[in-house]
Amino acid sequence: ATPTAPLQALVMGVIQTTRRHDIQNLAVSPPPSAQPAVLLLGGGVWLAAAVGTSAYVWESSGRAEEDRPAAALATWELRATLRHGALFTASHHAVWSVRLSDTAIQGQDSMRRAVTVGEDGVFRAWHFGGSAGLDGELLWQHDIGDARQAVVALLGVGGCLAAITRADQRSLQLFHTDTGVLIETICGVWPAGRSSLPQAAAYDVCNHLAIFSSIDDCGDGALALVDLSDRAAAAAAGSCAGPWGEADEASARCAAEGSGGPWAASRVVPIDGPLAGPGRVLRLALTVPAAGVVVAVVHEGDPSVMLEVWDEKAVLEGHCA
């Protein structure tokens, strides 16, 4: 057999922090499937890092060359520092996670949206760039409990919708990113069964899906999905203005009475696929729309943990584009 050359990785940049702080979270915008087109048109890739009491945002400033396309990522410019130090109530608190909008705010090409979750258990929304400047502008903040049990995302045109799933409440909430107005609460999003416990939550921001995994007391896994494309479509049609009134009554009942009502069942779809079932529990999922696949970390037996790559349509039962 002919020997093959070893695979090599090209380091494009290094993020350095002080010894006191680790990088808690990274976010990249736009999603990988859109990055080649953005770079070809002279746009940049945005990178955010949650480090200590701040979230830092950079934009790639290089230009792709015909024989060296990676040159587009060779240089970076700092675009924002979202400082949380004055907002935290304890000196040891840090920014736990950060997410960026995929595009600029409509009509304001240089201003963008971001959301963060701090170790203080507060969900915050920001504008940065443009009139918001390098320090950004805090738009609103909501208490959400344990930051380790929350997963957030920005959905819709320019990140109009801020989504947060909370394992302690087993709920998904959608907020208007600019105003903090609660648009919808969906209860019972994690599959419920015999003494089931939430295990993972993931977003497919391209298809506007939220995926939820749980485990029961027998060690069996279950999956459920919430399709948020109707909300994203409403945001696109109204340029982030709505309308949002349809689910208000259902959301109020859900929030007040818990996850047992039919309004929850109408939004949450059980997924009977290969990623979960007897002895199989989904621990982590990453959707890759450009390749049409889902990369999954699945626990099967003890101590077997496997990394698997599945066709997206096979595991999401046709809910992807």
Side-chain angles (χ1 to χ4, degrees), residues 148-201:
R148 295 168 296 181
Q149 297 193 47
V151 183
V152 300
L154 283 172
L155 306 173
V157 178
C160 290
L161 306 178
I164 181 166
T165 62
R166 295 179 55 184
D168 59 343
Q169 300 289 328
R170 301 197 181 205
S171 68
L172 183 153
Q173 291 184 306
L174 287 178
F175 294 90
H176 188 279
T177 308
D178 291 341
T179 65
V181 171
L182 177 62
I183 297 170
E184 184 174 8
T185 299
I186 307 171
C187 291
V189 292
W190 269 274
R194 301 176 305 238
S195 303
S196 64
L197 292 173
Q199 291 297 294

Side-chain angles (χ1 to χ4, degrees), residues 69-98:
L73 305 177
T75 57
W76 296 79
E77 297 289 338
L78 181 66
R79 296 304 186 204
T81 302
L82 308 180
R83 305 179 192 277
H84 293 61
L87 304 172
F88 290 153
T89 56
S91 59
H92 64 272
H93 284 159
V95 181
W96 187 260
S97 63
V98 58

Side-chain angles (χ1 to χ4, degrees), residues 8 17 30 37 43 45 62 76 96 101 143 156 163 179 194 263 285-286 289:
Q8 296 182 347
T17 69
V45 173
W76 296 79
W96 187 260
S101 60
D143 292 329
T179 65
R194 301 176 305 238
W263 49 89
L286 173 65

Side-chain angles (χ1 to χ4, degrees), residues 240-306:
C240 286
W244 307 119
E246 296 178 3
D248 289 349
E249 182 181 351
S251 294
R253 290 184 310 200
C254 173
E257 301 179 24
S259 60
W263 49 89
S266 67
R267 296 286 277 165
V268 182
V269 180
I271 298 296
D272 185 15
L275 289 182
R280 283 176 60 84
V281 181
L282 178 68
R283 300 292 193 190
L284 179 68
L286 173 65
T287 62
V288 188
V293 301
V294 174
V295 180
V297 176
V298 179
H299 180 259
E300 182 174 0
D302 189 16
S304 176
V305 177
M306 295 176 290

